[in-house]
């Protein structure tokens, strides 16, 4: 692992930013690896909502530099029997609790190994019972970035926790089904329908023009931000490679009256 | 441009901090220029509100180190025909969309050049259609900071977009008129009346004591934070060099019942 | 002071994150000490609430690296006669206004010296009247970190402002009394009862099992996050070394109907 590449550390937590936890976490990271470039991807995952966190980790990690260390912390079972883990994919690391937080990663990314973190001499001492992000995940991230071989942190496991996650899927020959996973600050609806699935649809049908369907509304796909389009509500492939329903003038979530969990379809025109 | 001076990069966006965009933007910046000291000036500009963003960029950039690169992103037309630009003043850089976001800078700072960013080999590839902050503005900021000559990024233009912005002005011999541009966290009213305009007023009248007028109230100017003053509401020149209406005990916006857009006057006593 | 150790700089302010102040403060810090690792501990202290700030500084600074420079800014008297100070304890620095903001530190940490910051050639020039965090505290932090002897910043004082702060205390032989100081993002109640006081209780009574009492409810102490416990509400010693009342399924503050200021007791079982 190149030293430079390893220096990106991305945080996804349910900590908010009013309490001292993010600061303590960064102190723990920089104490071991002063070179870390720390990216606050989000600290606004709803408290203890592992499913929402799983999507946030997936969505946020699509476009980070190779070998970024992604540190995910939605950890209601901290101090209990749940295991701390390191997940290695073809070009990224994920560190956090083994509670399903990385289920989207298991689903869509090529996972090469999952390691149960047991080598406690790499942990912060004394080890608290309620803040393993600071005391376990952060120090392991630091040592990993400094070149410690991943096998030194513990044994590989195969029975890591996979939660069922909503996956986009082809239905018949000309339709992809998915759902709204999140609503962003602009009121846009972020879905789980991937660009790669649309490409599959194109290959099957030989067509490249799509329409989206949400709550009885049909809308065109546009290129660009679409804010100059005539259609009041439209679909696009966003900067994370996911289908998004957006709106020129106001929030799509309000115009359509739909939010998280709503079914979305994409079909060829 | 000295390497050190160039390492400050200030962000002004309407991204909020719950979505992954600020993190992705920083990854893009640090990938090219690991030396960047990134300053989160604000991510709370109201969505797509270019006028509010224009004032936020102006207000935030008054006191930053020379040759700070200011990256402004309120970009409803992303992916459309609006141009990406680099603005060079006598001692600062501004990068962002050509939609009027830098109109206060054009109004008050000595602009030496505006460049239309067209040299796409400096952009992130593949270029997304909805996230030019990450894919265009950030990489250009990185290369600029690394010493690439600004002329290499594209041609100089003169027809950049200037929005009309509210400017403080002398009325007659003894009055300056302006308006409330923003309300800060403490409920203070931030106006567009500049210290330099008050100095002009002093020179014209030979007087150095002023009173402020807002919504039928008259109030004295104080030195210091004023929190020990007798006057319940008072005016001062704030740390950005702008006239501000503040209050000892509570929020001036509530005490006076006024907010953004309200007329403010300053006259000699 | 080792250069490395000195590079941690922790911020505790009532600035929020929407206005440009935190960005300007960091620019001021990094201009003098580019090596600073800046930790945003909190910017959400209620406006001008020195007492809440005093607890935030105490709580946040329990676990930072030795010789971290803690910069606290809740400063309603800025520009008035209140003094800027540097507090030196056995292993940390605290810089801010002399208005009682460090009262918890005076109470619980071994303070070796308090210095009135008067050497204005270390300040930012021109000095504003309303933003001493940027113009006084930050530059002094920078020069301190660069090795300037603390005595050079001004004279030692003994009459620094101590506000009375709520301190946990032994009552009789088997009870510790304290109160709820803050409610965290998860709705947990953070008290002022220290682990060290519980250890004292254990030594006096020879017992190591405790129960907490809040608003007529009795609850057990648990180890670990406790989220797998049977008790719906429970107590634990948190990662800051303070007793905390938490809840598996929801917010303790709601389940118990109590918040800041409420009495809390801990007794041996």
């Amino acid at each position: 692992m190149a030293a430079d590449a390893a220096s990106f550390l991305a945080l996804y937590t349910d900590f908010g930013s009013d309490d001292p936890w993010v600061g303590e976490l960064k102190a723990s990271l920089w104490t071991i690896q002063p070179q870390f470039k720390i990216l606050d991807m989000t600290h606004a995952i709803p408290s203890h909502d592992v499913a929402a966190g799983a999507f946030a980790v997936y969505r946020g990690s699509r476009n980070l530099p190779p070998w970024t260390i992604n540190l995910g912390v939605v950890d209601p079972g901290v101090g209990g029997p749940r295991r701390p883990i390191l997940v290695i994919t073809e070009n990224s690391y994920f560190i956090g609790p083994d509670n399903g937080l990385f289920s989207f990663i298991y689903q869509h990314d090529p996972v090469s190994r999952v390691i149960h973190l047991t080598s406690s001499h790499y942990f912060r001492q004394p080890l608290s019972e309620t803040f393993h992000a600071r005391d376990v995940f952060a120090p392991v991230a630091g040592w990993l970035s400094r070149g410690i071989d991943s096998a030194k942190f513990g044994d590989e496991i195969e029975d890591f926790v996979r939660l069922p996650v909503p996956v986009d899927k082809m239905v018949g020959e000309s339709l992809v089904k998915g759902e709204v996973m999140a609503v962003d600050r602009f009121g846009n609806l972020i879905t789980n329908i991937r660009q790669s699935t649309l490409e599959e649809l194109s290959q099957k049908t030989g067509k490249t023009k799509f329409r989206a369907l949400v709550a009885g509304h049909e809308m065109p796909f546009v290129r660009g931000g679409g804010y100059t389009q005539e259609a009041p509500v439209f679909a696009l492939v966003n900067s994370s490679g996911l289908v998004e329903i957006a709106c020129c003038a106001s929030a799509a979530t309000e115009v359509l009256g739909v939010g998280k969990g709503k079914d979305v379809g994409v079909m060829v025109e």
Side-chain angles (χ1 to χ4, degrees), chain A:
Chain A
M1 184 173 68
D4 257 13
S7 66
F8 282 97
L9 187 297
L11 296 176
Y12 314 75
T13 81
D14 63 354
F15 289 172
S17 36
D18 294 355
D19 293 287
W21 307 310
V22 174
E24 291 188 53
L25 183 51
K26 291 184 181 179
S28 186
L29 287 160
W30 278 327
T31 294
I32 294 172
Q33 174 52 289
Q35 301 306 318
F36 269 139
K37 301 291 182 195
I38 302 181
L39 309 170
D40 296 283
M41 303 307 295
T42 185
H43 297 296
I45 298 168
S47 302
H48 297 167
D49 187 339
V50 174
F55 184 71
V57 170
Y58 173 73
R59 178 184 169 210
S61 59
R62 294 309 85 196
N63 285 291
L64 300 183
W67 299 113
T68 291
I69 301 176
N70 296 278
L71 208 159
V73 194
V74 181
D75 197 10
V78 63
R82 72 95 188 92
R83 300 173 292 193
I85 54 173
L86 162 63
V87 178
I88 309 176
T89 70
E90 60 175 352
N91 67 356
S92 301
Y93 297 108
F94 296 84
I95 296 177
D98 180 31
N99 61 8
L101 186 59
F102 303 129
S103 295
F104 266 102
I105 304 302
Y106 304 146
Q107 180 69 39
H108 293 309
D109 290 358
V111 172
S112 61
R113 240 173 331 150
V114 177
I115 287 169
H116 177 195
L117 304 170
T118 52
S119 300
S120 59
H121 52 284
Y122 290 113
F123 302 168
R124 189 177 189 271
Q125 298 299 342
L127 180 65
S128 74
E129 295 182 331
T130 55
F131 198 0
H132 286 189
R134 179 192 70 188
D135 298 346
V136 176
F137 309 147
V140 167
W143 291 113
L144 178 68
S145 154
R146 285 181 59 174
I148 299 295
D149 189 274
S150 60
K152 297 239 169 118
F153 295 116
D155 292 331
E156 191 170 344
I157 57 174
E158 309 253 318
D159 63 341
F160 46 87
V161 176
R162 281 170 182 268
L163 297 179
V165 293
V167 178
D168 58 337
K169 53 174 177 279
M170 299 277 305
V171 176
E173 289 299 309
S174 60
L175 179 67
V176 174
K177 286 184 76 171
E179 67 181 75
V180 175
M181 300 299 301
V183 178
D184 74 16
R185 192 195 188 212
F186 298 96
N188 299 328
L189 308 170
I190 315 290
T191 79
N192 62 346
I193 302 179
R194 292 163 297 155
Q195 184 164 21
S196 58
T197 312
L198 297 192
E199 286 161 3
E200 208 182 311
L201 185 62
S202 280
Q203 281 171 359
K204 277 207 173 142
T205 60
K207 295 181 178 174
T208 57
K209 290 195 76 174
F210 307 121
R211 294 184 74 74
L213 302 112
V214 186
H217 299 262
E218 257 192 68
M219 57 207 74
F221 268 71
V222 303
R223 298 186 68 79
Y227 299 100
T228 53
Q229 299 294 322
E230 301 245 324
V233 187
F234 48 85
L236 51 79
V237 176
N238 72 15
S239 58
S240 307
L242 296 170
V243 170
E244 178 176 318
I245 312 297
C247 183
C248 324
S250 47
T253 188
E254 283 176 23
V255 172
L256 299 176
V258 304
K260 215 173 136 175
K262 192 74 185 178
D263 288 340
V264 178
V266 175
M267 57 179 190
V268 293
E269 284 212 331

